[in-house]
């Protein structure tokens, strides 16, 4: 079983729609990162959140870290085809170990 | 600033052979981590090196090993290759031990 559970696993939406993907765990993380990965490439860091309850915005993307630092969400407003990719969350455990979720594969259709 | 580079990008080997993959981190980064990515298992942590020392290790057999040089470049080696070792191997560098990670493009290993 994954330490970090991401949901949904797959998401296919039309351009212009909004969506939220989730990253949940029973473990407490010192930090949590979101990455986007496109086929044939390595993951690209989108954001790091470190404080419980923290909200960060990156253009149309809004990231939230749960108050207890066990979960996070990524909300995309007015999705575009360029948002298509595999979204990965990664949590830093208190012993400096880093764990990744299995990812949410997002497809945005024009 | 140049990003993380990995060589080679693609590799085809047969069962029983061994392979060495190379990673050059971002200049100034001392931490290098290696991951295996497969469709079934996702991104699995192999090990992390920091200042030439292995700091963390994932749950992989001893056939998987690595090292880091004084210039922070890192290599990972897989001996006695198995079909299940076919995967995308990703290297990531960080400015501090397990901080934000910057990934290379990966090496696609196919074992026949």
């Amino acid at each position: 079983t994954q330490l970090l559970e991401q949901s949904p696993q797959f998401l296919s939406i039309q351009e212009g729609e909004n969506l939220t993907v989730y990253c949940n765990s029973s473990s407490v993380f010192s930090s949590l990162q979101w990455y986007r990965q496109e086929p044939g490439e390595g993951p690209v860091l989108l954001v790091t959140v470190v404080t419980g309850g923290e909200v960060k915005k990156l253009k149309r993307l809004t990231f939230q870290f749960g108050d207890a630092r066990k979960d996070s969400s990524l909300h995309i407003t007015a999705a575009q085809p360029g948002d298509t990719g595999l979204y990965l969350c990664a949590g830093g455990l208190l012993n400096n170990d880093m764990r990744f979720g299995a990812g949410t594969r997002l497809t945005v259709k024009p | 600033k140049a990003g993380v580079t990995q060589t080679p990008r693609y590799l085809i080997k047969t069962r029983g052979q061994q392979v060495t993959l190379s990673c050059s981190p971002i200049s100034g980064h001392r931490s290098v981590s290696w991951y295996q990515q497969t469709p079934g298992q996702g991104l699995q942590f192999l090990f992390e090196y920091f200042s030439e020392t292995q700091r963390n290790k994932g749950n992989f057999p001893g056939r998987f090993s690595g090292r880091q040089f004084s210039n922070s470049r890192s290599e990972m080696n897989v001996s006695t290759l198995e079909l299940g070792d076919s995967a995308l191997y990703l290297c990531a560098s960080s400015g501090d031990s397990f901080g934000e990670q910057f990934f290379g493009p990966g090496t696609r290993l196919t074992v026949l």
Side-chain angles (χ1 to χ4, degrees):
Chain A
T1 56
Q2 294 275 358
L3 187 64
L4 279 162
E5 296 290 338
Q6 288 192 244
S7 61
Q9 275 188 285
F10 301 94
L11 189 56
S12 180
I13 61 172
Q14 293 294 134
E15 182 176 3
E17 293 182 1
N18 301 332
L19 67 114
T20 302
V21 297
Y22 301 92
C23 177
N24 296 297
S25 177
S26 57
S27 297
V28 175
F29 295 103
S30 58
S31 66
L32 196 137
Q33 296 157 16
W34 285 93
Y35 295 81
R36 181 172 69 218
Q37 185 178 20
E38 298 186 27
E41 300 295 330
V44 175
L45 178 67
L46 296 174
V47 78
T48 298
V49 285
V50 295
T51 304
E54 183 176 2
V55 176
K56 278 192 175 178
K57 295 196 176 194
L58 186 67
K59 296 183 181 177
R60 294 176 294 100
L61 278 59
T62 302
F63 305 86
Q64 186 161 7
F65 200 13
D67 291 342
R69 308 207 317 272
K70 294 182 179 180
D71 53 82
S72 181
S73 63
L74 159 59
H75 181 79
I76 301 179
T77 303
Q80 299 175 0
D83 295 327
T84 293
L86 178 67
Y87 287 81
L88 295 160
C89 67
L93 295 171
L94 297 178
N95 63 353
N96 283 335
D97 196 359
M98 179 68 72
R99 300 295 177 91
F100 279 79
T104 292
R105 191 164 296 280
L106 171 66
T107 302
V108 183
K109 300 175 185 174
Chain B
K1 212 176 202 182
V4 178
T5 58
Q6 292 188 245
T7 56
R9 288 294 308 273
Y10 302 92
L11 206 48
I12 298 175
K13 292 284 188 179
T14 56
R15 279 182 300 174
Q17 287 188 307
Q18 67 93 27
V19 67
T20 299
L21 311 181
S22 182
C23 171
S24 292
I26 291 171
S27 178
H29 284 188
R30 292 192 291 167
S31 169
V32 173
S33 300
W34 288 90
Y35 295 86
Q36 181 195 68
Q37 188 175 35
T38 59
Q41 297 295 319
L43 207 61
Q44 301 287 316
F45 171 69
L46 281 155
F47 28 66
E48 182 227 2
Y49 286 87
F50 182 80
S51 294
E52 302 179 67
T53 303
Q54 189 179 87
R55 289 286 298 270
N56 288 290
K57 188 177 187 306
N59 190 27
F60 276 80
R63 300 185 297 108
F64 292 82
S65 63
R67 59 177 175 169
Q68 186 180 33
F69 302 96
S70 58
N71 61 358
S72 293
R73 190 177 70 85
S74 178
E75 290 180 347
M76 70 162 277
N77 185 77
V78 188
S79 62
T80 320
L81 284 166
E82 301 177 359
L83 295 179
D85 296 333
S86 294
L88 180 67
Y89 288 88
L90 291 160
C91 161
S93 78
S94 174
D96 52 63
S97 182
F98 266 117
E100 296 173 332
Q101 300 197 53
F102 298 87
F103 284 85
T107 294
R108 172 74 61 186
L109 172 65
T110 301
V111 182
L112 302 175

